[in-house]
Amino acid sequence: MDKPLTKPSIREINERVILAAAESVFAERGFSGATMSMIAKRAGSPKANIHYYFPTKETLYRAVVARVLTAWLDAARSFDASDDPKEALTAYIGAKMDLAREMPLSSQIYASEMMRGAPVVQDYLETTLSAWVAERSGVVRRWIAQGKLKPIEPKYLFFMIWATTQHYANAAHEMATLEGGPLSDEAFERAKGQVAQTVLFGVAAGG
Amino acid sequence: MDKPLTKPSIREINERVILAAAESVFAERGFSGATMSMIAKRAGSPKANIHYYFPTKETLYRAVVARVLTAWLDAARSFDASDDPKEALTAYIGAKMDLAREMPLSSQIYASEMMRGAPVVQDYLETTLSAWVAERSGVVRRWIAQGKLKPIEPKYLFFMIWATTQHYANAAHEMATLEGGPLSDEAFERAKGQVAQTVLFGVAAGG
DNA sequence: ACGCCATTTGACCGATCGGTCAGATTCGCG
DNA sequence: CGCGAATCTGACCGATCGGTCAAATGGCGT
């Protein structure tokens, strides 16, 4: 879907460029710390032209956040890849970890949104995410009933997965300092494996 | 130590009030989003008086962050409470969880600091925290050598603990929305237990 | 009571913020 | 090519920012 049958219009191109610039600035400085001039400079346009495409700073911010949420939901789908808890959780944790590594800016914006009380994504929390959690909690409870998992509270399991994976974006700088440099691909893959292993062993039915 | 032998001076009282006000504003809006007038209003003093005690916004911010770090290190000490991995990890996770619940503002400020690349606490990361991790990694490796833990990379274990506990501060609003209200004390205690249990089972030597 | 220093305060400053606007320029279609 | 719409841009605006300052007020030892 969404194939470029027609060549992208000037509007499409520029909105894309501006959104990318805005994402990086919002991630670095937060909503209040970001300035329109900074975004304009990074996008390579005069400030007035940014306002031509996105009338206000808040409009622009909402557009950036909207992109973040779609990426989030895409990764969430990997949870449904299998009916087996081991496979499903491994796939989900892996997808979330990859997301944090490949789109750290988005992850940081999402975290900042939450810390500020979700002024923009509140309704997403109440509708889409609530529904997702309710549905998948049912799946986890079924696994528990089938004796495949310990009797845990599904919500806290999801919190733990979100926390851990998000941390690899939020605290990338802290980790880099402690490691003496950015995590290599190999180190990241080992981290991914250990997180998945730990969670799986932690919740797997005793045996 | 530090007993109030003499009654606190005007300076001590006011600095305390200002720091508390500043902490809440910085946590809500981030460094750039916080304004001196907002802090002044919350502290109940005119803005000029804030500048009398803390000459610049950055000075004030650094003072707030300094308090956060001492609370951090206090909680970290609970890791050394025992030589037994089960007890030590349970105590450490519990202390960190309590910290996130009792001082959510501090936790959020710390997270924001990291996301902005640690402009203020960089040297703390390179010295104090690095040393702490190096030392405790040695302890974990000893436990592994004694067959008490799976052969894991200690650093990723710490990352996971930090991530999970910090999440209960950073994402408190997200959790509250999904739970239909703030986590009760009971719910929080259950979460704490499940996190500790999951991590312990996840890293405990098989058997 | 006096005098000295700490503290408090409202008025004020230049810089920068988000946003506006009119006019110049370019695009795309007949 | 011609022309209306879309796009671009420098100049500009009021509001607010962090920070300053001189004068007023208060606390306290003697």
Side-chain angles (χ1 to χ4, degrees):
Chain A
M1 58 196 80
D2 222 17
K3 278 178 233 157
L5 293 174
T6 62
K7 73 174 172 186
S9 66
I10 293 180
R11 174 161 227 113
E12 285 169 335
I13 294 175
N14 285 347
E15 285 183 351
R16 219 180 297 272
V17 171
I18 294 171
L19 281 173
E23 184 179 64
S24 74
V25 175
F26 280 131
E28 281 173 24
R29 319 285 274 246
F31 176 78
S32 314
T35 71
M36 295 301 277
S37 349
M38 208 179 307
I39 293 170
K41 185 177 291 178
R42 206 164 297 190
S45 302
K47 192 184 62 168
N49 206 26
I50 310 293
H51 278 101
Y52 173 70
Y53 287 103
F54 297 92
T56 71
K57 189 182 177 182
E58 192 180 320
T59 306
L60 178 53
Y61 179 71
R62 297 184 96 96
V64 168
V65 170
R67 288 208 324 169
V68 172
L69 293 187
T70 65
W72 244 234
L73 289 174
D74 284 348
R77 263 188 275 281
S78 58
F79 181 85
D80 308 316
S82 169
D83 277 338
D84 176 66
K86 184 176 171 183
E87 284 177 15
L89 287 175
T90 303
Y92 184 50
I93 292 172
K96 279 279 185 188
M97 290 281 282
D98 289 340
L99 192 68
R101 183 159 176 87
E102 283 157 25
M103 302 180 62
L105 303 181
S106 301
S107 298
Q108 291 181 18
I109 289 174
Y110 186 84
S112 295
E113 245 305 282
M114 285 310 144
M115 281 194 260
R116 295 198 303 133
V120 162
V121 300
Q122 182 63 30
D123 75 304
Y124 156 83
L125 292 182
E126 290 171 0
T127 59
T128 313
L129 189 59
S130 280
W132 190 91
V133 169
E135 207 167 320
R136 271 70 187 181
S137 291
V139 174
V140 171
R141 289 208 187 81
R142 207 171 311 132
W143 286 334
I144 294 172
Q146 294 168 351
K148 293 177 178 172
L149 294 185
K150 284 205 190 73
I152 53 173
E153 169 56 41
K155 236 169 295 186
Y156 304 148
L157 170 61
F158 289 126
F159 291 168
M160 195 165 169
I161 292 173
W162 296 345
T164 309
T165 55
Q166 188 125 192
H167 198 65
Y168 278 81
N170 297 352
H173 177 81
E174 185 178 13
M175 295 179 182
T177 298
L178 293 176
E179 288 265 342
L183 259 67
S184 66
D185 286 345
E186 294 77 21
F188 180 76
E189 286 301 322
R190 265 183 289 132
K192 196 201 293 186
Q194 179 166 320
V195 168
Q197 284 294 315
T198 304
V199 172
L200 281 179
F201 267 91
V203 300
Chain B
M1 58 198 81
D2 223 14
K3 278 178 233 157
L5 294 174
T6 64
K7 74 174 171 187
S9 65
I10 294 180
R11 174 161 226 112
E12 286 169 335
I13 293 174
N14 285 346
E15 286 183 350
R16 222 179 295 272
V17 171
I18 294 171
L19 281 173
E23 184 180 64
S24 73
V25 176
F26 280 131
E28 282 173 22
R29 318 286 273 248
F31 177 78
S32 315
T35 71
M36 294 301 278
S37 350
M38 208 179 307
I39 293 170
K41 184 176 293 179
R42 205 163 299 190
S45 303
K47 193 184 62 168
N49 207 23
I50 310 292
H51 278 103
Y52 172 71
Y53 287 104
F54 298 93
T56 69
K57 188 181 178 183
E58 192 181 321
T59 307
L60 178 53
Y61 179 71
R62 298 184 94 98
V64 169
V65 170
R67 289 207 323 168
V68 172
L69 292 187
T70 66
W72 243 234
L73 288 174
D74 285 348
R77 262 187 275 280
S78 59
F79 181 85
D80 308 317
S82 169
D83 276 339
D84 176 67
K86 183 176 171 183
E87 285 177 16
L89 287 175
T90 303
Y92 184 50
I93 291 172
K96 279 279 185 188
M97 290 281 283
D98 289 339
L99 192 68
R101 182 160 176 87
E102 283 158 25
M103 303 180 62
L105 303 182
S106 301
S107 299
Q108 290 180 20
I109 289 172
Y110 186 84
S112 295
E113 235 322 268
M114 285 310 144
M115 280 193 261
R116 295 197 304 132
V120 163
V121 299
Q122 181 63 32
D123 74 305
Y124 156 83
L125 292 182
E126 290 171 1
T127 58
T128 313
L129 190 59
S130 280
W132 190 92
V133 169
E135 207 167 319
R136 272 69 186 180
S137 290
V139 174
V140 171
R141 288 208 188 81
R142 207 171 312 131
W143 286 334
I144 294 171
Q146 293 168 352
K148 294 176 178 171
L149 294 184
K150 285 205 191 71
I152 55 173
E153 169 58 40
K155 237 169 295 187
Y156 303 149
L157 170 61
F158 289 126
F159 291 168
M160 195 165 169
I161 292 174
W162 296 344
T164 309
T165 56
Q166 187 124 193
H167 198 65
Y168 277 81
N170 297 351
H173 177 81
E174 185 179 14
M175 294 178 182
T177 297
L178 293 176
E179 289 265 342
L183 259 68
S184 67
D185 286 346
E186 294 77 21
F188 180 76
E189 286 300 322
R190 267 184 287 131
K192 197 203 290 188
Q194 178 166 319
V195 168
Q197 283 295 315
T198 304
V199 171
L200 281 178
F201 267 92
V203 300

